Amino acid sequence: MRVWGRTLLVALLLGGLALAQDGLGAQVYQQCAGCHQESGMGLPGIFPPLAGTLPRIAAAEGGRDYLIRVVLFGMMGPIESVNGSYNGQMPAWGGSFDDAQIAAVLNYVLTAWGNDALLPKGWEAIAPEEVQAARVEDLKPQEVLKLRPKVEFGE
Ligand code: HEC
């Protein structure tokens, strides 16, 4: 009885923790939705979509490192996405959010809108420690552009 009670308690606590983290990502995403939209679809030609595209970027070589850095340091310059080309400016968020908030919003955009079903097998959530480790690189938005993996999105 006691053991089951304790197991249940731990399960409830862990579940609550996962939910809380989910909530944090969605909360931080409110700062992103003005451009990338609640739907994650962006605005064609102006703000690139995150829905459907991020799992493919995540699966590409260097994709995980790029995704962490694009949110930390921003990005500037021409890119090709699933619905055409973009040449805008993604703001840097490293100054506004701590490591846990950046990890949470990354995990949110990587799993919202059905993105979770498209992630590579064995994909692990981005940990705040990975964000912390990347921070010291202090990249310029133009340097982040060079890290973006070449992905054939197809349609
Ligand atoms: C002011 C508008 C704006 C806001 C706010 C914004 N972004 Fe962006 N984001 C952009 C633009 C523009 C690009 C593409 C930059 C380019 O063309 O080089 C981009 C690119 C990205 C990319 C890379 C997409 C790809 O295809 O490589 C990710 C990931 C991303 N943003 C996530 C976020 C997250 C998470 C937030 C909130 C913390 C956010 N963005 C807030 C405008 C914005």
Tab-separated table of all heavy atoms in Angstrom, residues 31-32 35-36 46-48 50 54 57 66-67 70-71 75-77 79 86-91 93 105 148, ligand 1:
chain	number	residue	atom	x	y	z
A	31	GLN	N	5.628	35.549	-26.978
A	31	GLN	CA	6.544	36.564	-27.521
A	31	GLN	C	6.876	36.292	-28.984
A	31	GLN	O	7.457	37.146	-29.655
A	31	GLN	CB	7.858	36.590	-26.725
A	31	GLN	CG	7.681	36.853	-25.247
A	31	GLN	CD	7.074	38.217	-24.987
A	31	GLN	OE1	7.531	39.220	-25.554
A	31	GLN	NE2	6.048	38.262	-24.161
A	32	CYS	N	6.578	35.113	-29.447
A	32	CYS	CA	6.951	34.705	-30.807
A	32	CYS	C	5.748	34.773	-31.741
A	32	CYS	O	5.893	34.884	-32.961
A	32	CYS	CB	7.468	33.263	-30.822
A	32	CYS	SG	8.440	32.787	-29.370
A	35	CYS	N	4.849	37.172	-34.733
A	35	CYS	CA	5.461	36.946	-36.049
A	35	CYS	C	5.141	35.548	-36.583
A	35	CYS	O	4.621	35.403	-37.676
A	35	CYS	CB	6.972	37.139	-35.966
A	35	CYS	SG	7.444	38.855	-35.601
A	36	HIS	N	5.464	34.522	-35.821
A	36	HIS	CA	5.273	33.152	-36.330
A	36	HIS	C	3.836	32.670	-36.198
A	36	HIS	O	3.514	31.584	-36.685
A	36	HIS	CB	6.235	32.193	-35.615
A	36	HIS	CG	7.676	32.502	-35.898
A	36	HIS	ND1	8.279	32.264	-37.113
A	36	HIS	CD2	8.640	33.059	-35.124
A	36	HIS	CE1	9.539	32.648	-37.073
A	36	HIS	NE2	9.799	33.142	-35.870
A	46	ILE	N	7.196	36.703	-45.136
A	46	ILE	CA	7.655	37.660	-44.114
A	46	ILE	C	8.253	36.943	-42.894
A	46	ILE	O	9.387	37.192	-42.519
A	46	ILE	CB	6.495	38.574	-43.667
A	46	ILE	CG1	5.853	39.223	-44.898
A	46	ILE	CG2	7.014	39.658	-42.718
A	46	ILE	CD1	4.598	40.001	-44.600
A	47	PHE	N	7.462	36.065	-42.291
A	47	PHE	CA	7.920	35.297	-41.126
A	47	PHE	C	7.790	33.813	-41.445
A	47	PHE	O	6.687	33.348	-41.736
A	47	PHE	CB	7.089	35.650	-39.884
A	47	PHE	CG	7.071	37.116	-39.594
A	47	PHE	CD1	5.877	37.818	-39.540
A	47	PHE	CD2	8.252	37.819	-39.373
A	47	PHE	CE1	5.853	39.182	-39.286
A	47	PHE	CE2	8.244	39.185	-39.118
A	47	PHE	CZ	7.044	39.870	-39.079
A	48	PRO	N	8.869	33.064	-41.400
A	48	PRO	CA	8.803	31.661	-41.848
A	48	PRO	C	7.967	30.793	-40.907
A	48	PRO	O	7.874	31.069	-39.713
A	48	PRO	CB	10.277	31.221	-41.828
A	48	PRO	CG	10.939	32.119	-40.848
A	48	PRO	CD	10.213	33.441	-40.937
A	50	LEU	N	7.032	27.630	-38.560
A	50	LEU	CA	7.749	26.717	-37.661
A	50	LEU	C	7.060	25.351	-37.682
A	50	LEU	O	7.677	24.320	-37.436
A	50	LEU	CB	7.783	27.280	-36.238
A	50	LEU	CG	8.329	28.720	-36.088
A	50	LEU	CD1	8.292	29.155	-34.619
A	50	LEU	CD2	9.735	28.853	-36.654
A	54	LEU	N	10.335	22.655	-38.566
A	54	LEU	CA	11.372	22.486	-37.532
A	54	LEU	C	11.809	21.031	-37.326
A	54	LEU	O	13.003	20.786	-37.126
A	54	LEU	CB	10.938	23.117	-36.202
A	54	LEU	CG	10.750	24.638	-36.219
A	54	LEU	CD1	10.602	25.170	-34.796
A	54	LEU	CD2	11.882	25.353	-36.932
A	57	ILE	N	14.426	20.286	-39.859
A	57	ILE	CA	15.688	20.953	-39.514
A	57	ILE	C	16.354	20.195	-38.370
A	57	ILE	O	17.559	19.958	-38.383
A	57	ILE	CB	15.426	22.431	-39.130
A	57	ILE	CG1	14.951	23.200	-40.367
A	57	ILE	CG2	16.671	23.070	-38.535
A	57	ILE	CD1	14.497	24.628	-40.101
A	66	TYR	N	21.849	24.391	-34.377
A	66	TYR	CA	21.325	25.586	-35.051
A	66	TYR	C	20.074	26.107	-34.339
A	66	TYR	O	19.950	27.307	-34.085
A	66	TYR	CB	21.006	25.259	-36.514
A	66	TYR	CG	20.051	26.229	-37.150
A	66	TYR	CD1	20.448	27.530	-37.469
A	66	TYR	CD2	18.724	25.863	-37.418
A	66	TYR	CE1	19.547	28.434	-38.029
A	66	TYR	CE2	17.825	26.759	-37.977
A	66	TYR	CZ	18.240	28.042	-38.285
A	66	TYR	OH	17.348	28.927	-38.822
A	67	LEU	N	19.140	25.212	-34.031
A	67	LEU	CA	17.863	25.647	-33.437
A	67	LEU	C	18.080	26.351	-32.101
A	67	LEU	O	17.442	27.368	-31.818
A	67	LEU	CB	16.925	24.450	-33.271
A	67	LEU	CG	16.323	23.933	-34.585
A	67	LEU	CD1	15.583	22.619	-34.361
A	67	LEU	CD2	15.402	24.973	-35.213
A	70	VAL	N	19.637	29.840	-33.026
A	70	VAL	CA	18.792	30.831	-33.716
A	70	VAL	C	17.891	31.543	-32.704
A	70	VAL	O	17.639	32.749	-32.825
A	70	VAL	CB	18.004	30.203	-34.897
A	70	VAL	CG1	16.888	29.301	-34.464
A	70	VAL	CG2	17.434	31.292	-35.798
A	71	VAL	N	17.461	30.842	-31.680
A	71	VAL	CA	16.622	31.493	-30.672
A	71	VAL	C	17.488	32.341	-29.719
A	71	VAL	O	17.129	33.459	-29.372
A	71	VAL	CB	15.769	30.461	-29.900
A	71	VAL	CG1	14.974	31.132	-28.790
A	71	VAL	CG2	14.810	29.752	-30.862
A	75	MET	N	18.860	35.728	-36.094
A	75	MET	CA	19.398	35.374	-37.409
A	75	MET	C	19.032	36.453	-38.410
A	75	MET	O	17.987	37.089	-38.313
A	75	MET	CB	18.819	34.033	-37.873
A	75	MET	CG	19.356	33.577	-39.223
A	75	MET	SD	18.936	31.871	-39.601
A	75	MET	CE	17.178	32.004	-39.891
A	76	MET	N	19.929	36.651	-39.370
A	76	MET	CA	19.695	37.634	-40.418
A	76	MET	C	20.206	37.088	-41.725
A	76	MET	O	21.289	36.511	-41.767
A	76	MET	CB	20.482	38.900	-40.075
A	76	MET	CG	19.765	40.172	-40.384
A	76	MET	SD	20.667	41.534	-39.644
A	76	MET	CE	21.620	42.027	-41.041
A	77	GLY	N	19.437	37.281	-42.793
A	77	GLY	CA	19.889	36.876	-44.117
A	77	GLY	C	18.909	35.931	-44.782
A	77	GLY	O	17.939	35.489	-44.169
A	79	ILE	N	16.965	32.838	-46.376
A	79	ILE	CA	16.770	31.393	-46.161
A	79	ILE	C	15.654	30.896	-47.082
A	79	ILE	O	14.813	31.672	-47.526
A	79	ILE	CB	16.393	31.055	-44.690
A	79	ILE	CG1	15.081	31.746	-44.281
A	79	ILE	CG2	17.511	31.425	-43.730
A	79	ILE	CD1	14.463	31.195	-42.999
A	86	TYR	N	12.813	33.692	-47.543
A	86	TYR	CA	12.651	34.722	-46.523
A	86	TYR	C	13.970	35.449	-46.395
A	86	TYR	O	15.032	34.859	-46.614
A	86	TYR	CB	12.277	34.077	-45.174
A	86	TYR	CG	10.893	33.471	-45.204
A	86	TYR	CD1	10.678	32.209	-45.753
A	86	TYR	CD2	9.799	34.178	-44.728
A	86	TYR	CE1	9.402	31.662	-45.819
A	86	TYR	CE2	8.521	33.646	-44.785
A	86	TYR	CZ	8.329	32.379	-45.328
A	86	TYR	OH	7.069	31.858	-45.396
A	87	ASN	N	13.899	36.720	-46.073
A	87	ASN	CA	15.130	37.459	-45.829
A	87	ASN	C	14.807	38.529	-44.795
A	87	ASN	O	14.752	39.714	-45.095
A	87	ASN	CB	15.654	38.071	-47.131
A	87	ASN	CG	17.064	38.597	-46.975
A	87	ASN	OD1	17.607	38.620	-45.855
A	87	ASN	ND2	17.662	39.022	-48.059
A	88	GLY	N	14.553	38.071	-43.612
A	88	GLY	CA	14.146	38.982	-42.555
A	88	GLY	C	15.123	38.941	-41.406
A	88	GLY	O	16.274	38.525	-41.560
A	89	GLN	N	14.639	39.387	-40.282
A	89	GLN	CA	15.481	39.372	-39.102
A	89	GLN	C	14.755	38.716	-37.947
A	89	GLN	O	13.679	39.156	-37.546
A	89	GLN	CB	15.867	40.800	-38.726
A	89	GLN	CG	16.921	40.791	-37.643
A	89	GLN	CD	17.685	42.104	-37.576
A	89	GLN	OE1	17.409	43.041	-38.336
A	89	GLN	NE2	18.639	42.168	-36.669
A	90	MET	N	15.342	37.654	-37.459
A	90	MET	CA	14.822	36.971	-36.279
A	90	MET	C	15.519	37.609	-35.071
A	90	MET	O	16.749	37.645	-35.012
A	90	MET	CB	15.151	35.478	-36.399
A	90	MET	CG	15.156	34.695	-35.120
A	90	MET	SD	13.499	34.446	-34.431
A	90	MET	CE	13.959	33.408	-33.027
A	91	PRO	N	14.755	38.179	-34.138
A	91	PRO	CA	15.402	38.820	-32.985
A	91	PRO	C	16.144	37.813	-32.115
A	91	PRO	O	15.832	36.626	-32.126
A	91	PRO	CB	14.230	39.425	-32.198
A	91	PRO	CG	13.022	39.307	-33.067
A	91	PRO	CD	13.297	38.231	-34.057
A	93	TRP	N	16.949	36.282	-28.441
A	93	TRP	CA	16.161	36.165	-27.220
A	93	TRP	C	16.997	35.850	-25.993
A	93	TRP	O	16.472	35.751	-24.889
A	93	TRP	CB	15.061	35.114	-27.402
A	93	TRP	CG	14.135	35.525	-28.485
A	93	TRP	CD1	14.184	35.132	-29.800
A	93	TRP	CD2	13.064	36.479	-28.406
A	93	TRP	NE1	13.216	35.779	-30.527
A	93	TRP	CE2	12.511	36.601	-29.691
A	93	TRP	CE3	12.533	37.239	-27.361
A	93	TRP	CZ2	11.447	37.458	-29.966
A	93	TRP	CZ3	11.463	38.079	-27.645
A	93	TRP	CH2	10.933	38.179	-28.929
A	105	VAL	N	10.724	26.991	-24.721
A	105	VAL	CA	10.065	27.457	-25.942
A	105	VAL	C	10.535	26.637	-27.142
A	105	VAL	O	9.756	26.349	-28.057
A	105	VAL	CB	10.237	28.986	-26.171
A	105	VAL	CG1	11.609	29.347	-26.696
A	105	VAL	CG2	9.145	29.518	-27.095
A	148	ARG	N	22.598	27.246	-40.363
A	148	ARG	CA	21.317	26.633	-40.743
A	148	ARG	C	21.570	25.489	-41.729
A	148	ARG	O	22.173	25.698	-42.777
A	148	ARG	CB	20.390	27.665	-41.383
A	148	ARG	CG	18.971	27.156	-41.598
A	148	ARG	CD	18.117	28.296	-42.130
A	148	ARG	NE	16.695	27.963	-42.170
A	148	ARG	CZ	16.076	27.502	-43.256
A	148	ARG	NH1	16.738	27.312	-44.369
A	148	ARG	NH2	14.778	27.240	-43.212
B	1	HEC	C1	9.750	40.199	-35.011
B	1	HEC	C2	9.371	38.927	-35.626
B	1	HEC	C3	9.830	37.648	-34.965
B	1	HEC	C4	9.652	37.247	-33.649
B	1	HEC	C5	8.940	37.995	-32.526
B	1	HEC	C6	10.214	35.916	-33.572
B	1	HEC	N1	10.737	35.535	-34.771
B	1	HEC	FE1	11.576	33.753	-35.199
B	1	HEC	N2	12.050	34.401	-37.070
B	1	HEC	C7	11.670	35.628	-37.599
B	1	HEC	C8	12.207	35.768	-38.934
B	1	HEC	C9	12.021	36.954	-39.871
B	1	HEC	C10	12.946	34.585	-39.185
B	1	HEC	C11	13.753	34.287	-40.461
B	1	HEC	C12	15.027	35.113	-40.462
B	1	HEC	C13	15.754	35.128	-41.803
B	1	HEC	O1	15.081	35.234	-42.832
B	1	HEC	O2	16.997	35.016	-41.805
B	1	HEC	C14	12.795	33.738	-37.999
B	1	HEC	C15	13.335	32.476	-37.857
B	1	HEC	C16	13.079	31.628	-36.789
B	1	HEC	C17	13.514	30.249	-36.708
B	1	HEC	C18	14.282	29.488	-37.770
B	1	HEC	C19	13.318	28.962	-38.815
B	1	HEC	C20	14.010	28.264	-39.956
B	1	HEC	O3	13.306	27.873	-40.901
B	1	HEC	O4	15.234	28.081	-39.934
B	1	HEC	C21	13.071	29.754	-35.512
B	1	HEC	C22	13.285	28.357	-34.962
B	1	HEC	C23	12.378	30.830	-34.843
B	1	HEC	N3	12.401	31.944	-35.649
B	1	HEC	C24	11.811	30.719	-33.589
B	1	HEC	C25	11.283	31.806	-32.881
B	1	HEC	C26	10.913	31.738	-31.486
B	1	HEC	C27	10.951	30.504	-30.611
B	1	HEC	C28	10.506	33.004	-31.145
B	1	HEC	C29	10.063	33.504	-29.787
B	1	HEC	C30	10.980	33.338	-28.675
B	1	HEC	C31	10.601	33.822	-32.345
B	1	HEC	N4	11.096	33.070	-33.370
B	1	HEC	C32	10.227	35.160	-32.413
B	1	HEC	C33	10.891	36.585	-36.967
B	1	HEC	C34	10.518	36.561	-35.647
